[in-house]
mmCIF file of all heavy atoms in Angstrom:
data_model
loop_
_atom_site.group_PDB
_atom_site.id
_atom_site.type_symbol
_atom_site.label_atom_id
_atom_site.label_comp_id
_atom_site.label_asym_id
_atom_site.label_seq_id
_atom_site.Cartn_x
_atom_site.Cartn_y
_atom_site.Cartn_z
ATOM 1 N N ALA A 18 -64.497 -32.542 18.560
ATOM 2 C CA ALA A 18 -64.781 -32.125 19.960
ATOM 3 C C ALA A 18 -66.239 -32.275 20.309
ATOM 4 O O ALA A 18 -66.656 -32.736 21.323
ATOM 5 C CB ALA A 18 -64.317 -30.680 20.142
ATOM 6 N N ALA A 35 -73.223 -21.612 18.023
ATOM 7 C CA ALA A 35 -72.365 -21.516 16.909
ATOM 8 C C ALA A 35 -72.029 -20.051 16.607
ATOM 9 O O ALA A 35 -72.732 -19.161 16.889
ATOM 10 C CB ALA A 35 -73.067 -22.093 15.641
ATOM 11 N N ALA A 66 -73.168 -15.055 16.488
ATOM 12 C CA ALA A 66 -72.669 -13.833 15.755
ATOM 13 C C ALA A 66 -72.133 -14.217 14.340
ATOM 14 O O ALA A 66 -71.415 -15.183 14.153
ATOM 15 C CB ALA A 66 -71.548 -13.203 16.571
ATOM 16 N N PRO A 96 -82.666 -31.162 12.783
ATOM 17 C CA PRO A 96 -83.445 -30.389 13.717
ATOM 18 C C PRO A 96 -83.307 -28.870 13.419
ATOM 19 O O PRO A 96 -82.391 -28.451 12.639
ATOM 20 C CB PRO A 96 -82.916 -30.698 15.035
ATOM 21 C CG PRO A 96 -81.533 -31.171 14.815
ATOM 22 C CD PRO A 96 -81.516 -31.827 13.464
ATOM 23 N N THR A 197 -51.393 -39.275 15.498
ATOM 24 C CA THR A 197 -50.271 -39.882 14.760
ATOM 25 C C THR A 197 -50.821 -40.646 13.514
ATOM 26 O O THR A 197 -52.013 -40.981 13.445
ATOM 27 C CB THR A 197 -49.540 -40.899 15.651
ATOM 28 O OG1 THR A 197 -50.453 -41.967 15.961
ATOM 29 C CG2 THR A 197 -49.057 -40.230 16.875
ATOM 30 N N THR A 200 -52.762 -43.638 14.654
ATOM 31 C CA THR A 200 -54.074 -43.314 15.145
ATOM 32 C C THR A 200 -55.037 -43.103 13.987
ATOM 33 O O THR A 200 -56.155 -43.582 14.015
ATOM 34 C CB THR A 200 -54.024 -42.031 16.013
ATOM 35 O OG1 THR A 200 -53.283 -42.303 17.206
ATOM 36 C CG2 THR A 200 -55.399 -41.624 16.422
ATOM 37 N N MET A 201 -54.583 -42.370 13.014
ATOM 38 C CA MET A 201 -55.405 -42.133 11.796
ATOM 39 C C MET A 201 -55.760 -43.434 11.107
ATOM 40 O O MET A 201 -56.861 -43.611 10.596
ATOM 41 C CB MET A 201 -54.681 -41.144 10.829
ATOM 42 C CG MET A 201 -54.570 -39.717 11.391
ATOM 43 S SD MET A 201 -56.153 -38.894 11.417
ATOM 44 C CE MET A 201 -56.384 -38.620 9.656
ATOM 45 N N PRO A 205 -60.820 -45.686 11.078
ATOM 46 C CA PRO A 205 -61.906 -46.237 10.298
ATOM 47 C C PRO A 205 -62.391 -47.627 10.790
ATOM 48 O O PRO A 205 -63.395 -48.115 10.373
ATOM 49 C CB PRO A 205 -61.283 -46.363 8.859
ATOM 50 C CG PRO A 205 -60.119 -45.522 8.860
ATOM 51 C CD PRO A 205 -59.617 -45.546 10.263
ATOM 52 N N LEU A 207 -63.175 -48.160 13.878
ATOM 53 C CA LEU A 207 -63.874 -47.900 15.043
ATOM 54 C C LEU A 207 -65.346 -47.559 14.890
ATOM 55 O O LEU A 207 -65.897 -46.598 15.468
ATOM 56 C CB LEU A 207 -63.167 -46.828 15.935
ATOM 57 C CG LEU A 207 -61.704 -47.081 16.252
ATOM 58 C CD1 LEU A 207 -61.152 -45.941 17.039
ATOM 59 C CD2 LEU A 207 -61.558 -48.411 16.998
ATOM 60 N N THR A 210 -68.729 -43.886 14.037
ATOM 61 C CA THR A 210 -68.165 -42.629 14.471
ATOM 62 C C THR A 210 -66.706 -42.505 13.961
ATOM 63 O O THR A 210 -66.340 -41.436 13.491
ATOM 64 C CB THR A 210 -68.211 -42.531 16.024
ATOM 65 O OG1 THR A 210 -69.538 -42.602 16.450
ATOM 66 C CG2 THR A 210 -67.598 -41.253 16.460
ATOM 67 N N PHE A 218 -61.357 -35.960 8.606
ATOM 68 C CA PHE A 218 -59.932 -35.679 8.804
ATOM 69 C C PHE A 218 -59.174 -35.752 7.458
ATOM 70 O O PHE A 218 -58.156 -35.040 7.297
ATOM 71 C CB PHE A 218 -59.327 -36.635 9.784
ATOM 72 C CG PHE A 218 -59.896 -36.530 11.196
ATOM 73 C CD1 PHE A 218 -59.566 -37.494 12.134
ATOM 74 C CD2 PHE A 218 -60.692 -35.446 11.554
ATOM 75 C CE1 PHE A 218 -60.059 -37.414 13.430
ATOM 76 C CE2 PHE A 218 -61.187 -35.345 12.879
ATOM 77 C CZ PHE A 218 -60.907 -36.308 13.790
ATOM 78 N N HIS A 220 -60.032 -34.614 4.795
ATOM 79 C CA HIS A 220 -60.239 -33.375 4.026
ATOM 80 C C HIS A 220 -59.724 -32.145 4.828
ATOM 81 O O HIS A 220 -60.065 -31.009 4.506
ATOM 82 C CB HIS A 220 -61.744 -33.218 3.768
ATOM 83 C CG HIS A 220 -62.241 -34.157 2.698
ATOM 84 N ND1 HIS A 220 -62.488 -35.458 2.992
ATOM 85 C CD2 HIS A 220 -62.531 -33.973 1.392
ATOM 86 C CE1 HIS A 220 -62.922 -36.088 1.827
ATOM 87 N NE2 HIS A 220 -62.948 -35.212 0.908
ATOM 88 N N ASP A 223 -54.968 -29.086 7.720
ATOM 89 C CA ASP A 223 -54.021 -28.799 8.826
ATOM 90 C C ASP A 223 -53.235 -30.090 9.055
ATOM 91 O O ASP A 223 -53.661 -31.236 8.885
ATOM 92 C CB ASP A 223 -54.729 -28.415 10.081
ATOM 93 C CG ASP A 223 -53.884 -27.472 10.979
ATOM 94 O OD1 ASP A 223 -52.706 -27.321 10.634
ATOM 95 O OD2 ASP A 223 -54.385 -26.979 11.939
ATOM 96 N N GLY A 267 -48.315 -13.252 27.233
ATOM 97 C CA GLY A 267 -48.203 -13.784 28.544
ATOM 98 C C GLY A 267 -47.153 -13.063 29.336
ATOM 99 O O GLY A 267 -45.987 -12.949 28.906
ATOM 100 N N GLN A 293 -54.036 -42.129 22.904
ATOM 101 C CA GLN A 293 -54.646 -43.316 23.484
ATOM 102 C C GLN A 293 -56.085 -42.978 23.957
ATOM 103 O O GLN A 293 -57.021 -43.743 23.711
ATOM 104 C CB GLN A 293 -53.836 -43.817 24.661
ATOM 105 C CG GLN A 293 -52.486 -44.433 24.261
ATOM 106 C CD GLN A 293 -51.551 -44.562 25.418
ATOM 107 O OE1 GLN A 293 -51.910 -44.439 26.629
ATOM 108 N NE2 GLN A 293 -50.216 -44.760 25.213
#
Side-chain angles (χ1 to χ4, degrees):
T197 65
T200 295
M201 289 289 288
L207 303 180
T210 300
F218 296 169
H220 289 77
D223 207 352
Q293 293 164 14

